[in-house]
Amino acid sequence: MNLTAVTVEGRNLIISRTFQAPRELVFRAWTDPLHLSQWWGPQGFTVQEIDVRPGGVWRYVIHGPDGTDYDNLITFLEIQAPQRIVYKHGDFENDEHFRVTVTLEEQGQSTLLTMTMQFPTVEALNQTIQDVGAIEGAQSTMNRLAEHLLSLQSAK
């Protein structure tokens, strides 16, 4: 059973999940380089640089199962602790393939995370879903975040 909801609306891919963790902890997991590198993306990716602040960049490489390396470049546009993160996601050839807005909504002791990925066109979104496996990747990443948050809470 996957607890991550994924919907497609026009040129937006919307991922949402409720985490059994306080909003401040979820925000820290998204913005602290020590935490971010523990759960982001598929297994086996390499972080090259993380500077989480408006104008800061995050460079990482995803190593595909076929041996192909995929360079990624995130540029943070907005950080509003502890409720909102906005960034553009690209690579070293095109610095913006899509834009992402992450919101964190407090719900008692839980946090509703909503991640909206806005693509320039419906076709670009569909291509990313088909060629890159964006839906499966998002679900896997949110599962890894849930596991990381659980490990942080049980370490207390």
Side-chain angles (χ1 to χ4, degrees), residues 13-110:
L13 179 61
I14 304 165
I15 296 110
S16 61
R17 180 163 178 166
T18 299
F19 294 96
Q20 303 306 311
R23 178 167 72 167
E24 288 76 13
L25 183 61
V26 179
F27 184 82
R28 193 169 11 139
W30 267 88
T31 56
D32 183 327
L34 295 175
H35 292 295
L36 200 52
S37 63
Q38 298 298 308
W39 64 268
W40 180 266
Q43 294 287 350
F45 80 107
T46 305
V47 173
Q48 296 174 317
E49 170 188 4
I50 302 176
D51 181 10
V52 183
R53 62 178 174 81
V57 298
W58 177 18
R59 298 181 204 303
Y60 62 92
V61 178
I62 293 179
H63 307 288
D66 63 355
T68 304
D69 287 343
Y70 300 94
D71 292 323
N72 287 263
L73 173 64
I74 286 177
T75 304
F76 293 98
L77 303 172
E78 182 181 332
I79 307 284
Q80 291 181 10
Q83 70 268 8
R84 182 177 162 93
I85 303 162
V86 180
Y87 60 87
K88 58 183 179 176
H89 190 134
D91 57 33
F92 301 124
E93 293 175 11
N94 178 355
D95 72 344
E96 186 171 353
H97 292 294
F98 54 91
R99 188 163 293 214
V100 179
T101 300
V102 178
T103 58
L104 303 171
E105 182 182 327
E106 208 167 39
Q107 298 188 327
Q109 296 300 310
S110 301

Side-chain angles (χ1 to χ4, degrees), residues 89-137:
H89 190 134
D91 57 33
F92 301 124
E93 293 175 11
N94 178 355
D95 72 344
E96 186 171 353
H97 292 294
F98 54 91
R99 188 163 293 214
V100 179
T101 300
V102 178
T103 58
L104 303 171
E105 182 182 327
E106 208 167 39
Q107 298 188 327
Q109 296 300 310
S110 301
T111 302
L112 172 62
L113 182 148
T114 303
M115 180 172 157
T116 303
M117 304 166 67
Q118 184 176 65
F119 289 79
T121 64
V122 170
E123 294 76 21
L125 168 59
N126 290 337
Q127 182 178 7
T128 301
I129 290 171
Q130 293 168 4
D131 296 351
V132 181
I135 291 174
E136 297 81 7

